[in-house]
């Protein structure tokens, strides 16, 4: 039986996943990290929790926070990030510019990749850097 909470794929299996597929998974990984972050920082109250999560996971917020980590990415991570940024997306949400949306997609692609690599330590490190000096921190 596969353990989908602790999945480690071989290099060839990872390369076979499209950048959109990695971003799809990375979107969920990022949202889970944001929700855990908000709960850990005392924001676990109904409507306020939902609004705070939405504010942090929207493409413009992801893009702004991504700028904090780009200089810290390894060569391998930068290649995955660029792969996600160059993904062919057909629809851009109303609340995001094309550049913000592509940067958010690149971030999600990277987070999906790191998750499938089993690099939870690196995910936490990058996420913590993204959330430094956040208005929700207590």
């Amino acid at each position: 039986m596969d353990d989908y909470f602790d999945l480690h794929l071989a290099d060839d299996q990872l390369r076979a996943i499209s950048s959109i597929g990695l971003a799809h998974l990375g979107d969920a990984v990022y949202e889970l990290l944001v929700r855990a972050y908000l709960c850990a920082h005392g924001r676990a109250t109904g409507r306020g929790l939902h609004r705070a999560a939405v504010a942090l996971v929207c493409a413009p917020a992801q893009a702004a926070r991504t700028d904090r980590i780009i200089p810290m990415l390894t060569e391998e991570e930068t290649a995955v990030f660029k792969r996600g940024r160059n993904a062919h997306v057909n629809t851009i949400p109303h609340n995001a510019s094309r550049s913000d949306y592509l940067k958010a997609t690149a971030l999600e692609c990277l987070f999906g990749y790191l998750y499938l690599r089993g690099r939870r330590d690196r995910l936490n490190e990058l996420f913590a850097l993204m959330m430094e000096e956040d208005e929700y921190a207590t």
Side-chain angles (χ1 to χ4, degrees):
M1 177 176 163
D2 289 322
D3 179 357
Y4 292 102
F5 281 113
D6 193 27
L7 195 59
H8 300 270
L9 298 181
D11 289 346
D12 59 330
Q13 290 174 299
L14 259 173
R15 280 191 298 274
I17 300 171
S18 71
S19 53
I20 296 297
L22 290 174
H24 179 72
L25 177 60
D27 177 56
V29 171
Y30 186 78
E31 177 134 2
L32 179 61
L33 289 168
V34 164
R35 288 177 180 220
Y37 172 85
L38 291 172
C39 288
H41 288 88
R43 298 284 301 195
T45 59
R47 185 176 296 136
L49 179 63
H50 177 71
R51 285 186 181 150
V54 168
L56 291 171
V57 300
C58 68
Q62 282 185 10
R65 283 176 165 60
T66 298
D67 289 336
R68 298 178 186 180
I69 65 166
I70 288 176
M72 285 82 166
L73 297 181
T74 67
E75 192 175 312
E76 174 188 15
E77 292 166 348
T78 299
V80 173
F81 183 87
K82 287 179 179 179
R83 179 179 164 198
R85 189 184 60 211
N86 294 330
H88 296 288
V89 294
N90 296 323
T91 307
I92 308 291
H94 302 19
N95 68 336
S97 69
R98 182 168 185 78
S99 63
D100 281 352
Y101 190 72
L102 292 176
K103 194 181 289 185
T105 300
L107 173 72
E108 292 168 351
C109 184
L110 175 61
F111 273 37
Y113 177 85
L114 291 173
Y115 177 82
L116 291 174
R117 274 269 183 235
R119 298 286 319 275
R120 307 307 186 284
D121 56 336
R122 185 64 172 157
L123 277 167
N124 278 311
E125 179 183 0
L126 293 174
F127 184 75
L129 289 169
M130 292 174 73
M131 301 309 285
E132 280 182 358
E133 300 175 20
D134 189 75
E135 62 188 303
Y136 299 111
T138 54

